[in-house]
Amino acid sequence: MTKKDVHVVPHGDGWATKTEGASRVGVKTNTQKEAIDRAVVKAKRDHVEVVIHGRNGKIRDSDSYGNDPKSSKDKKH
C-alpha cells in the first residue's frame, strides 16, 4: 500500500485538503487553519503526513502522524 499524504492547498478564495494521487480536493474550508485541522484528523487516522502549502503553492511545513522511519524529533513544536 502506497503512503498517501494529505496536503493543505490553496483553493479559490479558501483552502482545501487533497490526498496524494486524488484528482479532486477533499474538504474545502475558508481558512488554512480549518483545512489543517481537518487534514490532521485524516492523517492521524491513516498514519500519514500532513503537508502544508502556502498561498504561493510552495511547501511551508509538514508533520508526520504515522510510523516515521526517521528517529529524529520534530524540533518546531
Side-chain angles (χ1 to χ4, degrees):
M1 183 173 175
T2 308
K3 184 176 113 172
K4 297 193 181 246
D5 293 335
V6 182
H7 292 252
V8 174
V9 296
H11 185 73
D13 289 340
W15 294 87
T17 62
K18 186 171 183 187
T19 302
E20 281 183 13
S23 59
R24 300 179 351 179
V25 297
V27 178
K28 299 173 194 171
T29 66
N30 292 321
T31 68
Q32 188 181 46
K33 182 179 180 340
E34 289 173 308
I36 291 169
D37 291 345
R38 297 292 293 268
V40 166
V41 170
K42 181 169 176 39
K44 284 180 177 179
R45 184 184 66 226
D46 297 345
H47 305 288
V48 296
E49 193 165 333
V50 172
V51 181
I52 304 166
H53 297 257
R55 196 40 90 180
N56 63 2
K58 291 185 180 179
I59 295 173
R60 70 173 188 88
D61 198 4
S62 65
D63 283 308
S64 179
Y65 295 93
N67 295 327
D68 196 346
K70 296 180 183 176
S71 60
S72 63
K73 293 191 177 195
D74 190 353
K75 304 234 188 314
K76 63 186 173 278
H77 297 294

